[in-house]
Amino acid sequence: MISHRIKELRERNHFSQAELAKILGITRSSVNAWELGISVPSTKYVIELAHLFSVSSDYLLEIEHKEVLDISGLDDDSVKILTYMACYMRKRQG
């Protein structure tokens, strides 16, 4: 959960809850509520936390990392071929 990640990153970077709150311009009780899982940070604060701790927002949110293939600039036929190949490989491995 994001609550665990925030606390882990805050402690790893030697910030108190009060110090982190001051950096973000919020109250210490807000940081405490995040860490206890009582509330969750808004998108704005997820982004600020990611920048502050030099991690991705996916890491903070514990979203499974998936590989991404940039297909910009490819024509429709090439995209269809790559999609077919990806589906074929998934079925083959699954």
Side-chain angles (χ1 to χ4, degrees):
M1 293 183 73
I2 191 169
S3 58
H4 299 107
R5 290 286 164 107
I6 293 170
K7 184 174 183 178
E8 169 195 328
L9 290 165
R10 178 183 59 76
E11 290 176 344
R12 187 185 309 160
N13 287 274
H14 309 288
F15 290 126
S16 67
Q17 287 183 344
E19 290 168 327
L20 180 57
K22 185 175 181 178
I23 291 167
L24 297 173
I26 59 175
T27 64
R28 187 207 57 82
S29 62
S30 293
V31 173
N32 187 55
W34 293 347
E35 290 184 3
L36 292 175
I38 296 168
S39 67
V40 294
S42 68
T43 304
K44 172 188 173 183
Y45 291 114
V46 170
I47 293 167
E48 288 188 33
L49 289 164
H51 285 283
L52 176 65
F53 295 128
S54 299
V55 298
S56 69
S57 55
D58 284 359
Y59 178 81
L60 274 173
L61 298 168
E62 296 187 29
I63 295 173
E64 183 180 328
H65 175 72
K66 296 185 179 197
E67 294 296 323
V68 177
L69 179 62
D70 182 5
I71 59 171
S72 58
L74 297 180
D75 60 32
D76 288 343
D77 288 338
S78 297
V79 171
K80 287 178 187 175
I81 291 168
L82 287 173
T83 302
Y84 173 81
M85 290 173 62
C87 290
Y88 173 80
M89 295 304 292
R90 269 191 236 122
K91 288 178 185 175
R92 190 171 169 205
Q93 291 180 359

